[in-house]
Amino acid sequence: AGSCHGNSVERKIYIPLNKTAPCVRLLNATHQIGCQSSISGDTGVIHVVEKEEDLSWVLADGPNPPYMILLDGNLFNRKVLLQLKGTSRVSGLAVTIAKPSPPQGFSPGLKCPNDGFGVYSKDYGPEFAHCNTTVWNPLGSGISYEDFDFPIFLLEDANETQVIKQCYLDHNVPRDGSAPQYPLCAMQLFSHMHAVTSTVTCMRRSFLQSTFSINPEIVCDPLLDYNVWSTLQPINASGKVDPEKEVVMVATRVDSHSFFWNIAPGAESAVSSFVTHLAAAEALHKAPDVLLLPRNVMFTFFQGETFDYIGSSRMVYDMEQDKFPLSLDNIHSFVELNQVALRNDSILWLHTDPVSRMNESVNTQVKNLLDILKRSSTGSGVTLQEAGFSQPLPPSSFQRFLRARHIPGVVLTDHRTSFQNRYYQSMYDTPEKIGMQYPEGLSPEETLEYVTDTAKALAQVATVVARALYVLAGGANSTSAIQADPKTVTRMLYGFLIKMNNSWFQSIIKPDLKGILGDVPQHYVAVSSPVNTTYLVQFVLANLTGTVVNLTKEECLNPEKIPQAEKELYEYSWIQGPLAPNSTARVPLCVRSGARLSKALSPAFELRHWGSTEYSTWTESRWKDIRARIFLVASRELEILTLVLGIAILVLSLLATYFINAKADVLFSIPQDPGAVAY
């Protein structure tokens, strides 16, 4: 009863904000970035800032600091944040989502993404290092890589934003130029982070704790997940591929990022390319003679690429250490899809590495690769053009492979120089930005199946890639029948960008994983793995390239018991399956495919080189409590008066208790009976 009473009192005092996303602390070998509150949360009087002039009240004029700013999304930029960072009059920020998105663009990432971890350095193409030739993300403000000593939260719910504004209007608006009267509306943000300084410091502390403590307090965790991969022709995943066997490698990244934790829609920066990749894999698998091709094709989806190429650097490391079925020597050529949804005049640009092409042998192979791609685009609706010999590679997983070996390769993008994407690594990199539009009034099922113009355009790109891969793998027949399916592409775009919990995704995952199907998809790599995106890419790949086999549930879950199962060559998955006709029951299936997972944990953590400059060292701080709430706060004078009165009453009650106790024999003595006789 006591706890219920306490909760009801709390509910009367505080209004919790349930739909928020915090900025959290990340660390690398040398820095900490992000935000945090004090250990007991930070509190301030709310002030709404909708134009730059409103900042003067917070920074100078307002009499009730510190202030908690409700900041309009259009003002969430580097200039404003650095002003607020330099004052003690601000205790935190709550940021609204700008609708429509800032027309000038918004990218909190770096102007030169993953600088220092790609192939270009003082020893390799120094003229291209640090984006000297091309600034890839000119709109990058770098605020995601700043360190703020106050909490910053994103308000995701317009209704909660309105509640805060109403509270501000009722209590905090200055009247006739004079300060508002108490009580004032205040906000409290909790986001205290346990890790400080750098990955070196936090990993050392965690390591010491886990070594010497019975109940270790881990303060940070490495960003990690799994890469997804499969091959056109099955290979023994537990063995080694023959060194003479050549493999064409296709790659994309699957992760994205923004200023706020787990808000990473990544429509153009990640989803457009990996969906195109999946569609190309399906189209190529349908070709009749793929098992007879002289070269194999490997489809690879890298996790953690946003954070200094975690996934690709790990795969290269595993190949070098003989911990992967393929070695770098097996790679015949490399094709990467990287931001392909925002084409101008249907043009895709082919980027190659000018440094490795100075080698005549590599240059000949690259020219052949470019010719095959161009020929494959004939009549497809896609025009392929070379970015130019003087142009370096854009930020791409291919760069990590080039660091290890001169591999002939090409990166396909929708930009020749700087990104077309004006919302790179931001919360505004959404389906609308890549032109996904649906007619009004469609049901969720109709929306899933509706083929958008974006899906048609990406299917064209997937067709070109699939045909080129067929030829690269040594295919001699006509490629005209190799065609990506726009219906598959539109389903994937809907599932990965709008609603994960849809009928198609439900039908292709394992029954015990149906809980991963949340509503709005996010593609942040995180520290608990595999994340939803990884699972779904794996199951979509298995669905599009695998085969339904006639096995019972018991046989499917334990294929090693079946002699002809070839467990080394295939993965078996017992999936939920589609709904039976006119029923709510599902028809489960066993799918056999080559879709597998491999670790995407930076080698720096495997080697305990926490200060590495060769490999990614990103970690995420741990925390105990992240929440936000608003309430009315009394004036400082009233709080002091209440405290003084409380102390006075306490002192008086103690004095009264003392005197009563001292005179207890007089005050509480029992009067003698007058009739009693004393002897």
Side-chain angles (χ1 to χ4, degrees):
S3 67
C4 290
H5 178 71
N7 284 340
S8 67
V9 170
E10 183 174 333
R11 284 199 299 272
K12 286 175 182 174
I13 297 172
Y14 300 106
I15 299 175
L17 304 172
N18 299 316
K19 290 281 288 179
T20 61
C23 158
V24 303
R25 175 169 288 164
L26 300 175
L27 309 99
N28 67 9
T30 53
H31 292 79
Q32 63 179 30
I33 64 170
C35 324
Q36 78 154 353
S37 73
S38 60
I39 196 164
S40 55
D42 288 333
T43 305
V45 173
I46 295 170
H47 190 74
V48 175
V49 174
E50 294 179 328
K51 50 188 186 299
E52 281 203 46
E53 298 81 73
D54 296 337
L55 286 170
S56 60
W57 182 266
V58 173
L59 298 173
D61 304 337
N64 309 116
Y67 285 96
M68 192 66 73
I69 297 174
L70 180 62
L71 187 68
D72 185 275
N74 287 298
L75 291 175
F76 185 59
N77 56 48
R78 185 175 184 85
K79 178 186 170 188
V80 169
L81 283 180
L82 292 187
Q83 275 182 277
L84 302 178
K85 190 178 177 181
T87 176
S88 60
R89 290 174 59 88
V90 174
S91 58
L93 257 73
V95 181
T96 63
I97 298 173
K99 290 183 179 176
S101 307
Q104 71 278 11
F106 173 76
S107 174
L110 298 170
K111 291 184 187 295
C112 192
N114 291 359
D115 186 25
F117 289 86
V119 70
Y120 302 113
S121 66
K122 66 181 191 310
D123 303 317
Y124 187 100
E127 66 274 25
F128 304 125
H130 314 302
C131 295
N132 284 338
T133 308
T134 305
V135 177
W136 295 107
N137 186 29
L139 291 172
S141 64
I143 56 173
S144 283
Y145 295 83
E146 291 284 338
D147 183 37
F148 297 94
D149 58 0
F150 51 76
I152 304 178
F153 277 53
L154 178 69
L155 299 173
E156 298 182 78
D157 188 341
N159 293 330
E160 289 188 344
T161 303
Q162 196 50 48
V163 168
I164 299 168
K165 284 185 176 177
Q166 194 57 53
C167 188
Y168 166 79
L169 292 171
D170 292 344
H171 299 279
N172 294 13
V173 176
R175 309 289 178 194
D176 304 320
S178 60
Q181 299 299 306
Y182 282 96
L184 297 174
C185 191
M187 184 185 293
Q188 190 171 27
L189 301 178
F190 297 84
S191 63
H192 182 66
M193 300 288 133
H194 294 178
V196 293
T197 311
S198 67
T199 288
V200 177
T201 303
C202 80
M203 288 300 291
R204 186 176 65 240
R205 288 178 180 174
S206 296
F207 177 70
L208 290 171
Q209 280 276 339
S210 55
T211 305
F212 298 110
S213 174
I214 299 171
N215 298 307
E217 276 279 331
I218 307 300
V219 294
C220 68
D221 301 283
L223 294 181
L224 80 158
D225 205 78
Y226 288 88
N227 300 321
V228 182
W229 66 277
S230 78
T231 51
L232 189 61
Q233 301 161 357
I235 62 171
N236 185 342
S238 56
K240 289 295 291 180
V241 171
D242 186 326
E244 302 300 312
K245 181 68 175 175
E246 292 184 322
V247 177
V248 179
M249 195 162 179
V250 203
T252 45
R253 68 171 59 190
V254 295
D255 66 304
S256 187
H257 180 43
S258 82
F259 187 88
F260 298 99
W261 184 76
N262 206 28
I263 301 292
E268 158 73 341
S269 61
V271 179
S272 68
S273 53
F274 76 68
V275 160
T276 305
H277 186 169
L278 287 163
E282 180 192 32
L284 188 55
H285 266 270
K286 286 179 178 175
D289 59 338
V290 289
L291 295 179
L292 305 174
L293 294 174
R295 297 189 189 100
N296 207 342
V297 178
M298 179 174 169
F299 306 101
T300 320
F301 302 81
F302 290 121
Q303 262 287 13
E305 295 301 272
T306 305
F307 295 96
D308 300 335
Y309 306 118
I310 294 172
S312 54
S313 63
R314 178 53 186 260
M315 186 168 282
V316 171
Y317 174 79
D318 284 346
M319 285 180 173
E320 290 176 324
Q321 301 296 315
D322 285 336
K323 295 179 179 177
F324 196 78
L326 276 77
S327 73
L328 291 167
D329 292 329
N330 291 118
I331 301 174
H332 166 267
S333 50
F334 199 105
V335 178
E336 180 168 354
L337 290 158
N338 186 345
Q339 298 194 69
V340 292
L342 298 176
R343 288 181 290 162
N344 270 344
D345 301 323
S346 296
I347 296 172
L348 274 186
W349 295 94
L350 303 170
H351 298 263
T352 57
D353 172 42
V355 181
S356 60
R357 287 184 70 180
M358 290 176 187
N359 177 306
E360 194 53 46
S361 166
V362 172
N363 189 39
T364 304
Q365 290 173 282
V366 170
K367 280 183 174 176
N368 179 50
L369 176 55
L370 295 172
D371 286 343
I372 289 171
L373 278 160
K374 286 177 185 173
R375 285 202 305 273
S376 301
S377 69
T378 307
S380 66
V382 179
T383 306
L384 296 183
Q385 292 188 15
E386 291 182 49
F389 201 83
S390 60
Q391 178 87 359
L393 287 168
S396 51
S397 308
F398 180 41
Q399 293 201 29
R400 290 302 303 195
F401 284 80
L402 274 179
R403 277 176 78 129
R405 194 72 47 95
H406 279 183
I407 297 167
V410 63
V411 178
L412 281 77
T413 73
D414 54 23
H415 55 89
R416 184 185 179 194
T417 54
S418 55
F419 296 160
Q420 295 270 37
N421 185 3
R422 292 180 296 122
Y423 302 98
Y424 183 74
Q425 287 187 6
S426 88
M427 57 191 168
Y428 301 116
D429 189 4
T430 55
E432 300 77 37
K433 301 302 180 302
I434 60 170
M436 283 178 64
Q437 293 177 329
Y438 296 92
E440 298 264 334
L442 294 184
S443 68
E445 202 58 33
E446 290 167 337
T447 313
L448 172 68
E449 300 293 343
Y450 180 81
V451 180
T452 61
D453 290 341
T454 305
K456 291 173 188 171
L458 293 179
Q460 290 176 340
V461 178
T463 298
V464 172
V465 172
R467 289 175 179 178
L469 292 173
Y470 176 81
V471 178
L472 281 167
N477 295 331
S478 168
T479 59
S480 57
I482 298 175
Q483 192 79 36
D485 185 356
K487 283 196 170 183
T488 303
V489 177
T490 212
R491 284 173 160 196
M492 288 192 282
L493 288 173
Y494 180 80
F496 285 113
L497 286 174
I498 294 174
K499 190 175 183 181
M500 277 188 168
N501 196 8
N502 62 72
S503 60
W504 185 46
F505 278 7
Q506 288 166 7
S507 71
I508 64 172
I509 63 165
K510 294 178 179 178
D512 57 329
L513 291 175
K514 60 186 176 185
I516 69 171
L517 296 176
D519 266 348
V520 182
Q522 304 296 347
H523 306 293
Y524 172 62
V525 58
V527 295
S528 55
S529 60
V531 295
N532 302 4
T533 306
T534 303
Y535 273 132
L536 288 168
V537 168
Q538 182 189 14
F539 286 117
V540 169
L541 183 61
N543 178 266
L544 298 181
T545 63
T547 311
V548 175
V549 287
N550 187 22
L551 295 179
T552 64
K553 181 179 180 180
E554 183 65 29
E555 290 169 334
C556 192
L557 296 175
N558 302 285
E560 63 277 357
K561 295 179 180 176
I562 305 165
Q564 71 277 21
E566 298 177 298
K567 180 76 174 82
E568 306 79 25
L569 302 182
Y570 299 104
E571 290 284 314
Y572 289 80
S573 303
W574 185 256
I575 62 169
Q576 293 199 120
L579 291 170
N582 305 317
S583 168
T584 55
R586 294 190 173 277
V587 183
L589 306 165
C590 184
V591 172
R592 185 186 73 185
S593 78
R596 294 184 171 92
L597 301 179
S598 69
K599 262 189 188 177
L601 168 67
S602 170
F605 298 101
E606 204 91 337
L607 301 166
R608 289 193 184 156
H609 294 171
W610 301 321
S612 173
T613 55
E614 167 76 9
Y615 298 113
S616 171
T617 54
W618 286 104
T619 53
E620 181 185 275
S621 174
R622 287 198 179 184
W623 58 80
K624 273 199 170 72
D625 194 19
I626 285 185
R627 58 195 168 98
R629 59 191 186 180
I630 62 171
F631 55 96
L632 293 180
V633 64
S635 68
R636 180 65 54 158
E637 292 79 9
L638 182 57
E639 287 177 340
I640 292 170
L641 178 62
T642 306
L643 178 65
V644 170
L645 281 173
I647 292 170
I649 290 167
L650 175 65
V651 170
L652 283 171
S653 62
L654 289 172
L655 287 171
T657 304
Y658 173 77
F659 285 117
I660 289 169
N661 193 48
K663 302 294 183 182
D665 55 334
V666 176
L667 293 172
F668 302 113
S669 61
I670 300 168
Q672 288 187 347
D673 185 351
V677 178
Y679 292 99

